[in-house]
Amino acid sequence: MSKQTVKVGLFGLGTVGGGVAELLLQEEKRLQEALGAELVLAKACDLDASLASGLGLPKERFTTNAADILHDPEIDIVVELIGGTKVAKDIVMGALNAGKPVVTANKALLATFGAEVFGLASQKSLKIAFEASVGGGIPLIRSMREGLAANRITSCLGILNGTCNYILSRMSAEGADFDAVLKEAQTLGYAEADPTFDIEGMDTAHKLAILATLATGRFPQVKDIAVEGISGISAQDITFARETGFVIKLLAVFHRHGEHAELRVHPALVDRNHLLASVNGPFNAVFVSGDWVGDIMLYGAGAGRRATASAVVADILDLAREKVNGCRFTAPNLGRAALNLSPLELTPIAQVSGRYYFRFTAKDQPGVLATIAAILGKQGISIETVLQKGRQETGGAVPIIILTHEASEQAMQNALKEIDAQPVITEPTKVIRVV
């Protein structure tokens, strides 16, 4: 009896897609042993034919026409790795409508159109595998969907963007300014030529939306997530954070509040003894809390050709096993038998409470600290720590660092508006939240 064959159609031969093609072609024998059947890259689609030849992909297995994959009845699994949302959405929806399960690493697509995509998959009783969409090579999706299935996930704190973590780690290690480290990251390939999507937090927000959907079973609106990037972080802030016992990380934050959830992305002061504080360079980590398991942390390479390709091919193998064994899902797409397409209600950030780091820049004259403290006190914000530095030149301004006890976001914003209006304040105040 001949061995069964599972045929894969791949869209996109860029950084990740090229890595997936390499893995499928180079490790064919090992993957066959793991599957118990042949796993074949039957067709790859890209607009750039030179990418296929560079990978050694035979001409008959390459196309520039999406229909050659979507309408081929012999293709068993469709893999979408082109990125973006418009064309990618057409491909994913087209594959599902053609009765083919899908593997994707497209966090923007799933975060923005998750209800539509998962809704169609549920209607067609098909699987969408998306391990590589969050955390690169870390088995995060599978862990939350299956390994923690007995738990109610109460919170997640994540370092989910390697570009930002690399920049902040280098600033911390060297005392360098943001712009200099960003240029270095671009030279090394850790940052795109246009890094806006990463450094302003939107990439992290998309990943956070996916984690929130897994944790709650409902779909948040990305536009409602409070997002702040790292471009405003200075070498001064890095230094002052270290002097007060913290490191600065760009964090994705999820907290459950009954039927609502708190979702935000922003730079944060992390206690240097917290596990996330030691995650440096381009690595990712997620600190997850469940009501039965307690706290766990998952750590590893969050991006890159090989790590992400590893996660994509693991998903392909899962889908291929289901076909070979003639079974349906080992687990539903989002870990729940019943799909809830209603939006996840988000707690407005103004209603959130926390601790804050303020860096005030003020004239060096008597009474400044008393003025700031009085305004904070009027808003019910108590001071935990004060760090004041002398001026560097005659007549110059001085930084005043204040760490607060817990206070509401609204109170913080009210106080800040009044303080920055004071004539003794020479620059807008920098605020970083403390976790």
Side-chain angles (χ1 to χ4, degrees):
M1 182 175 171
S2 61
K3 216 178 256 296
Q4 189 172 350
T5 300
V6 179
K7 294 186 176 181
V8 176
L10 170 63
F11 285 94
L13 289 174
T15 300
V16 176
V20 169
E22 277 183 343
L23 206 164
L24 290 173
L25 292 169
Q26 294 177 13
E27 303 293 341
E28 192 171 325
K29 183 178 179 183
R30 181 167 58 80
L31 295 174
Q32 180 177 320
E33 290 173 354
L35 180 61
E38 290 185 299
L39 185 64
V40 176
L41 176 56
K43 192 79 74 176
C45 180
D46 199 288
L47 295 178
D48 186 351
S50 67
L51 295 174
S53 59
L55 292 165
L57 190 69
K59 287 184 179 179
E60 65 273 13
R61 290 205 248 170
F62 176 78
T63 183
T64 56
N65 186 353
D68 290 344
I69 292 176
L70 295 178
H71 298 160
D72 184 345
E74 293 193 356
I75 298 290
D76 300 300
I77 299 167
V78 170
V79 182
E80 180 280 307
L81 296 172
I82 66 170
T85 55
K86 188 179 186 307
V87 177
K89 182 184 177 186
D90 291 341
I91 288 169
V92 169
M93 302 297 262
L96 294 172
N97 278 315
K100 303 178 191 296
V102 173
V103 176
T104 182
N106 197 326
K107 63 263 184 184
L109 174 66
L110 297 181
T112 308
F113 299 105
E116 289 182 57
V117 172
F118 287 106
L120 180 60
S122 178
Q123 179 187 327
K124 299 287 184 178
S125 296
L126 290 167
K127 193 160 189 179
I128 297 179
F130 53 104
E131 185 63 65
S133 65
V134 185
I138 307 170
L140 175 58
I141 303 298
R142 188 174 281 101
S143 296
M144 289 188 64
R145 183 182 58 211
E146 299 166 38
L148 299 176
N151 286 259
R152 180 181 175 87
I153 303 300
T154 56
S155 70
C156 295
L157 298 177
I159 295 171
L160 297 176
N161 185 275
T163 298
C164 291
N165 203 48
Y166 176 83
I167 290 170
L168 292 173
S169 297
R170 296 294 289 173
M171 289 176 70
S172 183
E174 300 177 1
D177 286 324
F178 175 85
D179 290 340
V181 180
L182 173 58
K183 287 179 182 176
E184 176 188 308
Q186 288 171 316
T187 300
L188 294 172
Y190 291 135
E192 302 286 347
D194 180 1
T196 305
F197 207 66
D198 291 315
I199 65 174
E200 297 305 334
M202 282 311 301
D203 174 78
T204 300
H206 286 147
K207 295 170 182 175
L208 176 60
I210 294 171
L211 294 185
T213 297
L214 278 171
T216 66
R218 290 187 290 159
F219 298 87
Q221 298 292 308
V222 175
K223 65 180 178 58
D224 294 333
I225 299 174
V227 180
E228 179 187 333
I230 66 168
S231 56
I233 300 297
S234 71
Q236 262 192 327
D237 297 317
I238 298 283
T239 300
F240 292 144
R242 182 168 54 245
E243 289 183 21
T244 50
F246 296 92
V247 297
I248 298 177
K249 299 291 184 183
L250 181 73
L251 287 190
V253 179
F254 161 82
H255 291 300
R256 187 191 291 272
H257 300 298
E259 294 304 310
H260 295 67
E262 174 188 329
L263 295 184
R264 44 195 170 94
V265 173
H266 53 72
L269 267 67
V270 179
D271 189 288
R272 64 185 168 206
N273 295 315
H274 194 286
L275 288 171
L276 287 174
S278 61
V279 178
N280 292 314
F283 287 91
N284 282 194
V286 180
F287 195 81
V288 183
S289 298
D291 58 353
W292 284 83
V293 75
D295 298 332
I296 66 168
M297 190 173 89
L298 296 150
Y299 164 87
R305 184 182 183 92
R306 293 176 69 88
T308 311
S310 166
V312 171
V313 174
D315 275 346
I316 293 171
L317 279 170
D318 271 356
L319 297 185
R321 287 188 181 108
E322 293 186 2
K323 177 175 176 56
V324 169
N325 295 319
C327 66
R328 294 185 68 186
F329 315 131
T330 51
N333 287 323
L334 296 173
R336 289 166 171 78
L339 187 65
N340 184 350
L341 296 178
S342 62
L344 175 63
E345 297 279 338
L346 300 190
T347 303
I349 194 166
Q351 297 177 17
V352 170
S353 293
R355 297 167 59 210
Y356 301 95
Y357 159 104
F358 295 119
R359 173 169 53 83
F360 302 101
T361 305
K363 294 177 182 177
D364 189 12
Q365 63 185 49
V368 172
L369 183 56
T371 298
I372 292 171
I375 294 171
L376 291 175
K378 186 168 67 174
Q379 293 293 332
I381 302 172
S382 61
I383 295 172
E384 178 184 305
T385 303
V386 177
L387 185 64
Q388 186 168 3
K389 299 290 186 179
R391 65 177 181 265
Q392 300 299 310
E393 56 187 43
T394 303
V398 295
I400 300 171
I401 309 303
I402 289 179
L403 267 67
T404 74
H405 291 289
E406 188 161 317
S408 75
E409 182 87 11
Q410 188 63 66
M412 181 272 288
Q413 295 291 351
N414 292 342
L416 208 59
K417 184 177 180 180
E418 186 174 350
I419 290 170
D420 279 355
Q422 300 299 309
V424 293
I425 301 297
T426 61
E427 294 178 15
T429 298
K430 181 63 187 175
V431 181
I432 306 177
R433 294 164 184 86
V434 182
V435 299

